Structures are given as structure tokens and as C-alpha cells.
Amino acid sequence: MTWLITGGAGYIGAHVARAMAQAGEAAVVLDDLSSGIAGRLPEGVPLVHGSVGDREALDRVLAEHRVTGVVHLAAAKQVAESVEQPLRYYRENVHGLTVLLEAVVAAGVPRFLFSSSAAVYGVPELDPIPESAPCVPINPYGETKLAGEWLVRAAGRAYGLRTACLRYFNVAGAERPELADTGVFNIVPMFFDRITRGEEPRIFGDDYPTPDGTCIRDYIHVSDLADAHLTVARRLAERGEPGDLTVNIGRGAGVSVRELAALVGEVTGVPVRPVVEPRRPGDAARAVASVDLIAAELGWSAKRGVREMVESAWAGWLLRHPEAARQDG
């Protein structure tokens, strides 16, 4: 088999490409490098510079590399940006997926794994959140991920594809420092950024109905997430009949924002005294995955803890921001 990994030079994609290469799975990456970095890819995994919206490029890569399965990660993924630019998000995340699926069907590729998001749940009322929970996204990013799931499943039913949708929760950490997240959009690098600039991290709301008043979230190490992609991809390869598997990817354990801030202080050696600011609209008090389904279906569970996520993310941050070391200790 050969897997096409779209967005495979990105933060998550490069970890998936590395996990597949280490497991002996043949893979090729398609990435427009708008946020991906070619140097992240492991040796032996070819990179095709292109977009999922380019049908000619898709037809070419699927044929030339004899692709037999697709792992689709390429997407715009910033919540706040999606509110400001909904047309772009629907174009890239839904139209791009449509073009990709058209090429997949035309090429006779029978397996399709879609990287979705816990954002499809919106503000969930269930705790922990099972895959059967109502999906009521509250921003265009979450809407496009839910629409993507619908489209993938519909294509699977119509054209006999074996499909899977992975709803992952809050991703952090890095397998190696050079593979770390380069953006400052997720909470851990946001904390690092404030520390590096000599500012205190911010907490949005401390009056939630939780033990310390701050929001509780489920964090997953990016290497565990990559391993989950590999595990699900192999299940798709083994399965003989068409069908869909939709699963949460998380640890099934919650960590509060205040607890995470304290852990960041321990790891960096910088005393952290978070500044409390007003709540952000739409933030749920608690969002933790139910991970029973993937354990039952695939025997998979996360192996790495939150400290390992923060420590590995800090090592990656220091590689790109050596000035932060002066704050350390």
C-alpha cells in the first residue's frame, strides 16, 4: 500500500508521516507549504508541492505513486480566523475536500481517513463526550469539520469507500524539537510566548463550575495522535467491506487551565502567575473525550502524559526561540 498524506509537512502531518515511515508504511506527502515545512519530513517520504484544490495535481500524484489510501490532514484550522474569514474556511476545508474525494473516486482509491476535530461538538453537555454526543459546532472551523465528516461518509456509502473520521482534542508536544508546533495559536505555545516576552500567561475566566474555577480540557500528545492515525489507517487496510469508523482521540482525562499553567512554570523554571481575564464566548467549562470506543474497536489508548507534552513542546520552543532560555531559571 501507499498512503497519500495531505498536509503532511505540517505540525501534525509530519508526525503522521514519521509514524508511518517508522512502521514501514509507504507514504507520499502533498502539501502547499503555506504552513508546512519540507524539512520536517523523514527520509524516504517524497514531497509533492501542491494543493488539494488542484485536481490535475491530485490525479497525477494518485497515479504516479499508485496511492491506495488517503490520510487527509490539509486544512485551515484557526477558530478565531474562521470567524473572520468563513468563506476561506469553507473553500479550503469543504471545497478542497470535495475536489480531493472526486479525484480519489476517479482513481479507485478505496480507503480514506479524515482528520476531524472535537470542535464538531461545540459546547458539549455530556461528560465525558462520547462519539454519539450531539454535534452543534459554534464556529465556521467546527462547521467545516462536521460538513467534512458528512461528505466523507456520504462518499463512502455512494462509492464503496472504507472511511474513518478522527475527532481529536487538544494537541500538544513534539516527538523531536524540530517537529514542534511553530504557531502560537494553541494554549501551550501561547503560554511560552507570554513567558518569553516577560509577560504573565492569561487565563480566560476563573469562575467556571470546576474545582479551581478554570476550564478543563483533554490534551493529547501529537505522537499519540500520529500513532492513532497509523492504527486507524491499518484497520482501513485490513477491513474488506466498506463502512465508516468515527472515533475520539484523547486521553479521557482532564487538566484545568490553571493546572496547565502551573506545570508550564515547573517545566520552564519561570514562576507563572496567570492574569485572569473575562471569559471567552463559547468556552465550555469541561470538554473531555470518552475514549471507550477506540479502545474497544482497536485496542488503542494514549501513552504519554501532559508533563511529557509540555517538556517536549518547550524543547521545540527553545530551538526556535533561544532567547527564551534566558528566562529559564
Side-chain angles (χ1 to χ4, degrees), residues 193-258:
D193 182 58
R194 300 279 291 190
I195 288 172
T196 301
R197 291 189 282 117
E199 301 173 3
E200 297 295 350
R202 295 182 294 175
I203 288 179
F204 295 97
D206 65 350
D207 57 350
Y208 286 92
T210 60
D212 66 14
T214 65
C215 293
I216 292 174
R217 295 292 182 267
D218 192 336
Y219 296 92
I220 179 78
H221 196 294
V222 66
S223 295
D224 281 329
L225 177 59
D227 182 63
H229 279 77
L230 172 64
T231 300
V232 174
R234 284 182 160 174
R235 169 57 64 89
L236 292 181
E238 295 166 359
R239 182 186 293 170
E241 297 298 321
D244 178 74
L245 174 67
T246 296
V247 289
N248 290 332
I249 308 296
R251 293 172 56 246
V255 177
S256 78
V257 176
R258 195 174 291 280

Side-chain angles (χ1 to χ4, degrees), residues 122-140:
V123 182
E125 297 182 358
L126 298 177
D127 180 30
I129 306 165
E131 289 82 355
S132 59
C135 291
V136 190
I138 61 171
N139 52 65

